[in-house]
Amino acid sequence: TMGFALGSVLAVLASGFTPAQPPNVLIILSDDQGWGDWEINCDNSTGYCPHTPHLMDLATKNGSVYFHRFYAAAGICSPTRSSILTGRTNERDCMHTALPCCSEDPAPTCAMGAGGALPTDSFTTGTAAKNSPLGNYATLYVGKWHLGDLWNKNIPHMHPTWPVSNPGLVGFDKWIATQAEASNSMSNCGCFPVNHTNPGPKPPSGYPTITPHGDRCVVGGGVFSDWCYPCTDYYYANQTDLRNVTALADIGVKIPGDDSVFIVNTFAAFLDDFAVDQSRPFLAQLALHGIHEPHPA
């Protein structure tokens, strides 16, 4: 099961076993992807499954281990994310269901902690890596968080015990994350509003309340338009910001294309920095917003 497999990662990181070269660990988590939603076992109601040649290669090449019964802790977002990080059942951290996304509203106005938060004293893959006898791991978290508020917003309904729960508080040196959701394409396009007097036609979208305040955003079907999702942005730790976090839009960074490419490119930049100092192993978790459809997640 997933608990056993992630527990094994935690056990290796925390054990006294010392291999010749401490292993690097990369965890890639897709969002709400069904068992049949990839190429190796396409089995869904439409029969249209994504082409996943790289996953096929990983699953079938010599030396790979493919788990046929690697169960998620839950069929929805937050509980699974909690169990991935802790290696134990989500119920232990009171993650019973997906935390509120406030109808896709931007993070500053959404008290996600009203539904729960990952306790910051949890023993996670990040904390295991930072305290591993194998070495002081460099740790990175990129992508969707959905486990609590990234900063204390001082608004009603914040979590009473953990008003702040972000990757930096559970063992990750570097992190850049959305609080909960983002579009699979041009994820923070809606953070750069334009006042359109004559917007073009509304494009196809699974999210019914998109509005015409964007600038060549993509919301569905690969169509560039003036219509876009709300401002769902990425945040990163910044001690010079009064919130202790800064959004990409705050510094004028507009993600130009596919969100998954942005996540992978961020990881690639981390590897470039890491290559300068290879005396430390690394642990990285990439939490994709894909393959969730038809609305941003």
Side-chain angles (χ1 to χ4, degrees):
T1 65
M2 182 187 65
F4 174 79
L6 266 295
S8 299
V9 171
L10 289 165
V12 169
L13 291 173
S15 73
F17 172 69
T18 306
Q21 181 68 34
N24 295 319
V25 180
L26 173 62
I27 300 169
I28 303 174
L29 179 64
S30 59
D31 191 30
D32 286 6
Q33 180 176 334
W35 176 87
D37 287 340
W38 65 306
E39 200 168 347
I40 200 168
N41 52 354
C42 178
D43 182 21
N44 62 34
S45 60
T46 65
Y48 295 104
C49 292
H51 295 291
T52 53
H54 299 298
L55 292 179
M56 285 285 288
D57 183 54
L58 285 172
T60 57
K61 71 190 306 183
N62 290 336
S64 293
V65 178
Y66 171 44
F67 294 94
H68 291 264
R69 298 186 181 278
F70 188 77
Y71 297 109
I76 49 178
C77 186
S78 303
T80 298
R81 294 173 186 281
S82 173
S83 62
I84 285 282
L85 284 169
T86 66
R88 64 183 187 174
T89 174
N90 54 286
E91 298 293 341
R92 293 285 298 273
D93 294 311
C94 299
M95 287 287 173
H96 310 300
T97 188
L99 300 186
C101 296
C102 305
S103 298
E104 315 296 341
D105 275 351
T109 61
C110 182
M112 182 175 293
L118 180 69
T120 55
D121 59 359
S122 298
F123 186 78
T124 67
T125 52
T127 50
K130 296 306 299 176
N131 296 282
S132 174
L134 302 181
N136 178 23
Y137 272 67
T139 52
L140 172 74
Y141 187 99
V142 186
K144 182 175 178 177
W145 180 239
H146 207 179
L147 289 170
D149 292 287
L150 297 176
W151 73 96
N152 192 343
K153 302 161 190 172
N154 296 308
I155 59 177
H157 310 301
M158 297 291 288
H159 196 283
T161 307
W162 297 287
V164 182
S165 180
N166 63 48
L169 298 177
V170 291
F172 290 92
D173 299 324
K174 295 183 178 181
W175 60 272
I176 179 167
T178 61
Q179 177 165 286
E181 71 290 306
S183 169
N184 290 344
S185 298
M186 309 179 98
S187 47
N188 72 345
C189 196
C191 302
F192 299 83
V194 176
N195 184 18
H196 294 288
T197 56
N198 295 294
K202 184 178 180 180
S205 171
Y207 184 63
T209 56
I210 58 173
T211 58
H213 71 277
D215 180 18
R216 289 184 57 76
C217 298
V218 175
V219 294
V223 178
F224 288 98
S225 75
D226 299 330
W227 298 72
C228 65
Y229 298 110
C231 175
T232 55
D233 211 350
Y234 276 86
Y235 295 81
Y236 62 92
N238 182 2
Q239 298 303 314
T240 65
D241 192 306
L242 293 177
R243 302 173 299 181
N244 292 321
V245 300
T246 295
L248 290 186
D250 293 341
I251 58 173
V253 176
K254 183 178 181 180
I255 298 171
D258 186 87
D259 177 70
S260 297
V261 173
F262 170 78
I263 290 174
V264 173
N265 286 345
T266 302
F267 174 56
F270 168 79
L271 290 182
D272 289 340
D273 293 338
F274 173 78
V276 177
D277 177 17
Q278 296 191 22
S279 62
R280 302 171 66 194
F282 73 80
L283 165 80
Q285 177 160 332
L286 311 185
L288 307 178
H289 295 95
I291 192 171
H292 199 299
E293 287 292 349
H295 60 81

